[in-house]
Each structure stands twice: as structure tokens, then as C-alpha cells.
DNA sequence: CTGCATTCTTCCACTGAGTGGAAGCACGGG
DNA sequence: CCCGTGCTTCCACTCAGTGGAAGAATGCAG
């Protein structure tokens, strides 16, 4: 009786997506067994799907492992993910980079996380953890704090109730963070020091469209000692510029 | 007899990819019927697949139409498409932008086309036709000519045998182009004037790794009259810089 | 408003594409 | 050499997928 009952209720499409979803920032390269485990699909099913996906260019083989293929890269780029915002921001992000030589970020709030839309990599020695397309917690990054400070009350409360520590310096006290967010609103900018990654500080300001905060831009630098004022000024100029082009 | 025989030999995976492949640069937003036609799948099959893909975030509805979804955007970004080259090039592309304020391109040869890997958009009035992730013909763009000038003999011959006119100024004579490519090799840079898009000129230089041309970088400007020398110089500095970091 | 063309959505009986357990390989470490 | 781990192939069973057709919605022209 080697026969089989199939798996009632599951569409092939869902399985295909599950396979693709096995890949993320920390797993760009995976073997059959890993993908099978992460997608919770039977090994042999996974194996066949992978073969088909490779045949159509959605994935590529790299030795025994699999990586996302060219086909998905250029299809993915067609997604209208805040296209207008990214277009409008692009030149201003360059300006910030030119003025600071630091790593520059553009992010929006996606639920209770910060979604990174754009990144210009500086040549500094700071370890950068962000990646375009991935998300980071709202309470531990500069752009995150800006977005959180201007998020709806209840979402803010929800985030404050579960503050995970990323580094020993991450702010995990709701009281402290609430006070910080208040200052973000009154001062017009947010800062972090070693809160997401040791040896990395950040400054961020909001981008507004007709008063509403729709995004945040920020820079990551090794230290804030000297440059805070200069960085804030450069960011605010850019932030207003972007807002004017939305 | 409303029954059905299915379509022997077709996997669901293939259909899913066919649906996704219906989207491209010029068709970012499509209705069911269009997708059905472009993917050559029966209408009702297409309709169901679209529903499933939307349910899993691979596509998104926009009114009646469909667009590529967030899920595919961030998965696509994980693809290792010349990642090292793009990493290495990034700061130098910014330098070029800072020095020229023009639209900057990074491209590699993909078969008989130029594949655009990176683009920094200038604020100039020039109409830019390139898009990251899409391809343009080798004979009508600056980066394309550089890549063609250093392509294998037989590929070059093949391209020369089918020179399509994109604008009235596109070079379609094999003799003329051959001469131009010779000059690209001896001068170390290529130019175009109104050949891809009217009112747009370009300059491009090769990026070499251990002597081999592995990519091309270029700028698009409204006119070459004044700045040719300055542009070539800026590009060549960057080109060598990138090469040193590969 | 009415009629016609086009596109979108739903339905359903049939069946072969997809399934997954198991067996067979291939590699590598002890 | 053996054993653990991961990759690949096999195959009988069956339900997920199929696609023609009918019906609903939209849009345009007269």
C-alpha cells in the first residue's frame, strides 16, 4: 500500500508560496531538508516543487542549495511598494548622504514594525543590520521611534507592552520610552545609541504629507557626540523637501 | 457533460510562474482577462490562481486589477543578483551622482541585452527609460555599447546583424557601429546621442575585474557639448575604484 | 433608457497531476 | 567500516485542480 491520500485542503499555490517564504534575510541559501522543515511540507513534495521552481527560473541552484532566482528578482521589483514615496525621496537621500557620508535610511511603519524601503550604504565601520525589504522593531531604531511617536495611540500602547531587548542598551522600560517619544514629538527628531547594534547611533526625523507623518528618514553613525545638530539639520531639510514632493 | 479533462503535462507551478510572468515593466497592473491572454491560460483557471495568489500576498488587488504584492517584493530582494558587484559599486555610484547630478547607471550584459542593476535618478528633465531589473538593447545605450565592445566576437556579430531602430538617431548600420565599438575600445568610453530616447545623451565606461570587463557604468545627460571630458573623467575614476573592490 | 460588447465571477462533474511514505543513494565523520 | 544526515527517485492512490459554460456586472454607443 504505497498509495497516498494527498493533503486535503491544500492548494499547490499555497505550497509554492510556503517554499518561497522559507527564504528570508537570515536564510538566503537553503537545502531541501531545511526548506521542507521551514515550510512544513513533506520532503518529497518540497523536492519536486523546488525542481519545478528552478526549471522556471524562480529559484536557482547553488551547489546543493537553492537561492531566489533572477525571475523573482525582476518581478519583485515591479511591486508598487510606496513607489511614489521612494521616487520622491531618492534625490534627498542622496543629498543627506553627500552631506554626512553616513548610512541613510528611508522607512515606513508596517503594522508594529518599521519597514525599510531604501538604504544608502556609507563606507563607515558601523555594523548595519537593516536591509531593504525587511523590518526591524519600532522601539530600537531611530526611524522606528519617529514612526512610533506618530502612530495611533492603541498601536503605541501595544508596542510599549512588549519591549524586547536587542542589545543591553535597548530601551525596555515603557515609562522611559514614553518620555522619549514625547520628546521626539516636541523636538522633531529621535536618536538611539547602541540600542539596535553596539557601536551604532542614529538620528531620524519624520516625513510629513499634509501634516501626517507618512515615513521617516535617518542616518546611522558611530557616535553622536559632535554632529547631532548638523545631522538633525540635514535630515530636517531633506524631510521637508520630500514632503513637498508628495 | 460539464466535466473536464484537465490539461495534461502542465504543473500548477508552471501556471503560477506564467501568471507572474504576465507582469513586466510595461504591464505593472493587469486585469484577469489580460493576464489570462498573456499567460495563455484558460480564463477561469487564471481567475482562481489570482485569487489564491492574492490570498497569500504574492499579488495585490487594486480595484479590479492586480499588481505584484509586498510578499514578492521582499522575497525578490533576497536574490543574489550580482550582489557583490552592486555592493562594491554603490558608494562609487553616489560619488558620480554627487559630481554630476545626472542619472547614473550600473549594468551588466545578460545574453544579448544590457541588464540594469542599479539606477540613481537625477533631477534633470531627461526622460529616463531604464528601470532596475529590466533590460535594454546593447546597441542603443551607453552602457550597452561598452558591454558590446567587450563581448565575445560571435555574440557581437549576432547583435550587429539585427540592429533595431529605437529612435531615428539609433545607429542601425553595422559598419558604423563596428567603427564606434573600435573607438570605445581604444578611447575607453562610449557615448550616445538621442539613440535610445530623444533629448538624452549618455557616456559610459567599463568596470574591469582583472582585466575582464564585467560591467559598465554610465550617466545620462541632456547634452554632451560642454561636459564630455569631465563626465568621462568622473566615470573612469569610479570604474577603476569599483574594479579595485571586486 | 436600451442594447451590445467586454470583462469579471461562479459553478460543477470529471480525472490526471500531485501526493507522500518508503526505499535507495551519496557523502562525511568517528 | 558503520552510522547519521541529507538528497533523490519511485509509484499506487485520490482529491485538488481543471476549464467549458452560464450568469452577473460594467461600460460604452446610439
Amino acid at each position: 500500500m504505497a498509495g497516498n491520500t494527498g493533503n486535503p485542503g491544500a492548494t499547490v499555490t499555497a505550497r509554492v508560496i510556503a517554499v518561497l517564504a522559507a527564504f528570508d534575510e537570515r536564510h538566503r541559501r537553503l537545502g531541501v531538508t531545511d526548506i521542507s522543515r521551514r515550510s512544513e511540507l513533506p520532503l518529497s513534495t518540497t523536492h519536486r516543487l523546488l525542481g519545478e521552481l528552478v526549471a522556471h527560473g524562480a529559484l536557482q541552484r547553488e551547489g546543493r542549495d537553492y537561492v531566489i532566482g533572477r525571475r523573482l528578482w525582476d518581478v519583485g521589483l515591479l511591486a508598487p511598494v510606496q513607489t511614489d514615496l521612494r521616487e520622491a525621496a531618492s534625490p534627498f537621500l542622496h543629498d543627506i548622504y553627500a552631506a554626512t557620508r553616513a548610512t541613510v535610511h528611508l522607512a515606513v511603519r508596517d503594522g508594529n514594525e518599521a519597514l525599510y524601503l531604501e538604504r544608502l550604504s556609507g563606507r563607515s565601520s558601523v555594523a548595519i543590520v537593516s536591509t531593504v525589504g525587511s523590518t526591524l522593531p519600532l522601539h530600537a531604531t531611530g526611524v522606528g521611534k519617529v514612526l512610533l511617536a506618530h502612530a495611533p495611540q492603541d498601536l503605541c500602547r501595544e508596542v510599549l507592552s512588549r519591549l524586547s531587548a536587542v542589545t543591553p542598551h535597548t530601551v525596555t522600560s515603557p515609562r522611559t520610552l514614553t518620555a522619549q517619544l514625547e520628546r521626539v514629538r516636541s523636538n522633531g527628531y529621535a536618536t538611539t545609541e547602541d540600542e539596535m547594534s553596539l557601536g551604532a547611533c542614529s538620528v531620524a526625523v519624520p516625513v510629513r504629507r499634509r501634516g501626517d507623518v507618512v515615513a521617516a528618514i535617518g542616518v546611522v553613525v558611530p557616535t553622536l557626540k559632535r554632529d547631532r545638530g548638523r545631522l538633525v539639520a540635514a535630515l530636517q531639510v531633506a524631510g521637508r523637501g520630500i514632503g513637498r514632493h508628495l
Side-chain angles (χ1 to χ4, degrees), chain A:
Chain A
M1 320 281 116
N4 195 306
T5 319
N7 179 352
T11 64
V12 178
T13 309
R15 292 167 214 253
V16 168
I17 305 290
V19 165
L20 298 182
F23 293 85
D24 66 23
E25 188 44 37
R26 310 188 64 81
H27 303 87
R28 291 171 178 254
R29 197 188 153 129
L30 295 166
V32 183
T33 310
D34 285 328
I35 296 174
S36 162
R37 273 199 281 267
R38 292 172 60 84
S39 61
E40 298 183 301
L41 293 172
L43 184 61
S44 56
T45 300
T46 307
H47 187 263
R48 182 178 36 80
L49 286 178
L50 289 172
E52 290 171 9
L53 288 167
V54 168
H56 294 94
L59 298 181
Q60 274 165 353
R61 299 209 63 155
E62 213 157 86
R64 254 199 174 61
D65 295 338
Y66 297 82
V67 296
I68 301 295
R70 249 286 307 275
R71 196 75 163 262
L72 285 183
W73 181 67
D74 52 49
V75 169
L77 289 170
L78 299 173
V81 180
Q82 302 276 2
T83 317
D84 296 347
L85 175 59
R86 285 151 66 205
E87 282 292 312
S90 179
F92 294 98
L93 300 179
H94 292 138
D95 290 346
I96 299 172
Y97 176 74
T100 65
R101 291 273 136 179
T103 296
V104 183
H105 285 140
L106 169 69
V108 293
R109 185 171 63 76
D110 181 39
N112 53 10
E113 293 183 305
L115 170 63
Y116 284 75
L117 295 176
E118 221 59 90
R119 185 187 82 182
L120 307 191
S121 307
R123 266 172 280 195
S124 85
S125 52
V126 183
I128 302 294
V129 292
S130 65
T131 321
V132 172
S134 67
T135 58
L136 288 178
L138 286 172
H139 69 285
T141 66
V143 288
K145 284 185 189 175
V146 167
L147 296 169
L148 186 57
H150 298 278
Q153 277 290 321
D154 36 352
L155 188 131
C156 190
R157 251 193 299 277
E158 189 216 313
V159 171
L160 283 165
S161 68
R162 295 190 261 99
L163 297 174
S164 58
V166 186
T167 75
H169 293 86
T170 307
V171 178
T172 53
S173 149
R175 294 185 70 90
T176 310
L177 190 53
T178 304
Q180 286 193 0
L181 295 179
E182 187 49 54
R183 258 182 293 141
V184 170
R185 281 186 289 264
S186 57
N187 293 343
Y189 70 91
T191 61
T192 64
E193 297 191 51
D194 299 319
E195 294 165 39
M196 184 72 221
S197 164
L198 294 175
C201 302
S202 67
V203 186
V205 307
V207 175
R208 297 170 187 274
R209 172 166 57 184
R210 285 183 235 114
D212 298 332
V213 172
V214 295
I217 53 178
V219 291
V220 181
V221 291
T223 172
L224 286 178
K225 292 249 165 61
R226 289 183 289 252
D227 299 321
R228 178 186 307 228
R230 203 167 57 79
L231 296 174
V232 170
L235 286 168
Q236 284 182 336
V237 169
R240 277 193 294 271
I242 297 169
R244 232 173 290 124
H245 285 249
L246 288 177

